[in-house]
Amino acid sequence: MHAVIRNYSGKGAKELFDVVEKSQESIEKVMRPVKDFVSYSAARTADGGFTITVCQDKAGCDESIRAARDWVAKNAANTGASAPTISEGTVMWHLR
């Protein structure tokens, strides 16, 4: 499995996560169809938030990065949030 973390901070990040919090159904419609999707989570931080996507392979996570970018552009561009810092890697183990 592979995981990607998108960390949003700085100008507009809190506003972006206000939109994210209200948009679970919309985000779910974008993320569930991602190739080899395993899980998706969103969490708030003091200065914005982060999302975590786990897929069976890197290709799925790459697709999730594109899907998230497109979702933000379509649904939350007015927040002015900067592009996220992205961290990714191979999952060592995954609890459910």
Side-chain angles (χ1 to χ4, degrees):
M1 286 190 292
H2 201 81
V4 62
I5 300 170
R6 291 175 293 279
N7 187 22
Y8 299 85
S9 61
K11 181 179 182 268
K14 286 183 180 182
E15 293 80 4
L16 170 61
F17 271 75
D18 290 342
V19 176
V20 167
E21 186 172 24
K22 298 173 187 172
S23 302
Q24 180 177 347
E25 186 176 318
S26 171
I27 294 170
E28 187 171 351
K29 286 180 183 178
V30 169
M31 288 298 170
R32 283 207 182 272
V34 165
K35 182 181 182 292
D36 295 327
F37 173 85
V38 174
S39 65
Y40 177 88
S41 298
R44 266 191 198 276
T45 61
D47 62 347
F50 61 90
T51 62
I52 304 169
T53 305
V54 177
C55 295
Q56 289 296 332
D57 56 24
K58 183 174 179 350
C61 283
D62 290 347
E63 183 181 336
S64 81
I65 292 169
R66 288 188 296 279
R69 181 184 59 232
D70 293 348
W71 185 91
V72 170
K74 181 178 178 182
N75 297 281
N78 64 335
T79 64
S82 298
T85 301
I86 296 177
S87 300
E88 63 179 302
T90 302
V91 175
M92 293 183 299
W93 46 268
H94 182 76
L95 298 176
R96 295 188 211 198

